[in-house]
Amino acid sequence: MPLPTITNSYIFNGLATLIILVQVAAYVNSYCSAESQQPCVIGVGQLSDWVDELKMDSAGRKSFELRMSDVQTSARPVQSETNTQFIKTSCRVTTYPDLCITTLSGYATKIQASPKLLASTALSVALKTALATSTTMTKLSKSQGLNPREAAALYDCVDQLRDAVDELQNSISEMGRNERSNFALQMNNVQTWVSAALTNEDTCMDGFSRKSMNGNVKATVRRQISNVAHLTSNGLALVNSYASITSPK
């Protein structure tokens, strides 16, 4: 039985398809890397679903553009292990390194290897947690069955958390300013705001330190406020680290 004949047209079409795939893959990786500031990888094989539509649509370029919108959403930046390692190394300066790594590793692509972005992200995580905890404490303060001491301590705690949220917001805003000429003053302001937030969080916990407050309310408050305080402490440590390595000599 004779072998099937492979025509020149078949070979030409196959090569043309491969060239298209390579060109599209190169474009997508270039586009994604430029947008994300991170290397992106999408292989030729991943584009095979788009080839048939490219060949079938006589409009050509229009079809290509429509399919590229789909291809671009399929390309994802490759999170470099170097970025994650940078976070792990940087978190060593904090009091709670494990918590630091756990809460910040998910932002490795955003942070890259920037001490400023690392510190800013840590403050943002602390703020987000403080906001959520403030909402929980407000609801808890309106619960039925609180004894007078618990009610008073919760009232104070809600007030202190509100101040801590404001102070964290101020610190993040200050971090976002580009004040190279007054960098030392800028960092001093950030450190002051974050330290004040940490003080308010600690004061809230102190309000539930009395033995007469043993119970579920005390356990709930101290657990949640402790988490916020630890995140704020880590944020302050990373701010201090950033200030020390960036400060003009």
Side-chain angles (χ1 to χ4, degrees):
M1 179 177 181
L3 293 173
T5 301
I6 300 177
T7 66
N8 290 335
S9 176
Y10 181 89
I11 296 174
F12 176 80
N13 289 337
L15 288 174
T17 298
L18 180 60
I19 291 171
I20 290 174
L21 284 172
V22 171
Q23 290 176 335
V24 173
Y27 173 80
V28 172
N29 290 330
S30 175
Y31 173 89
C32 178
S33 297
E35 289 294 309
S36 65
Q37 300 299 309
Q38 287 288 300
C40 297
V41 174
I42 181 167
V44 170
Q46 293 173 267
L47 299 173
S48 59
D49 292 340
W50 285 273
V51 175
D52 288 338
E53 187 163 339
L54 281 171
K55 291 162 60 179
M56 291 170 59
D57 194 328
S58 60
R61 181 174 175 78
K62 182 178 180 181
S63 174
F64 175 78
E65 290 175 350
L66 287 172
R67 298 309 296 168
M68 278 305 300
S69 65
D70 293 333
V71 175
Q72 286 162 1
T73 62
S74 298
R76 292 291 181 267
V78 178
Q79 180 171 309
S80 171
E81 292 183 4
T82 303
N83 296 340
T84 303
Q85 186 57 48
F86 167 73
I87 292 174
K88 291 180 179 179
T89 302
S90 300
C91 283
R92 292 173 186 169
V93 304
T94 67
T95 306
Y96 310 98
D98 290 342
L99 178 65
C100 178
I101 294 169
T102 299
T103 54
L104 296 179
S105 290
Y107 301 93
T109 300
K110 171 188 174 183
I111 294 169
Q112 299 183 45
S114 167
K116 180 177 182 179
L117 288 176
L118 179 65
S120 296
T121 303
L123 294 179
S124 294
V125 170
L127 173 60
K128 182 179 179 181
T129 307
L131 284 167
T133 303
S134 179
T135 299
T136 300
M137 294 300 103
T138 299
K139 292 179 180 179
L140 190 59
S141 68
K142 298 176 182 178
S143 301
Q144 300 295 322
L146 297 174
N147 65 47
R149 287 185 177 178
E150 289 173 338
L154 271 171
Y155 179 84
D156 290 340
C157 186
V158 168
D159 198 42
Q160 288 147 1
L161 266 181
R162 188 180 298 114
D163 289 341
V165 166
D166 289 341
E167 288 150 355
L168 286 171
Q169 288 174 332
N170 289 336
S171 70
I172 292 170
S173 296
E174 189 74 11
M175 279 288 291
R177 295 172 56 197
N178 189 15
E179 293 286 344
R180 297 301 302 172
S181 60
N182 292 312
F183 181 78
L185 177 61
Q186 180 187 13
M187 288 299 99
N188 183 67
N189 289 339
V190 174
Q191 290 162 330
T192 299
W193 287 122
V194 182
S195 296
L198 186 57
T199 298
N200 275 307
E201 293 155 5
D202 288 340
T203 302
C204 171
M205 280 197 295
D206 290 342
F208 288 86
S209 61
R210 300 185 185 93
K211 293 182 180 179
S212 60
M213 287 191 179
N214 287 333
N216 292 333
V217 173
K218 176 181 178 179
T220 298
V221 172
R222 290 184 65 84
R223 181 178 65 254
Q224 295 210 24
I225 300 300
S226 176
N227 185 46
V228 177
H230 291 176
L231 290 171
T232 304
S233 172
N234 283 350
L236 180 58
L238 294 173
V239 167
N240 292 340
S241 177
Y242 167 62
S244 66
I245 64 177
T246 312
S247 180
K249 305 300 181 184

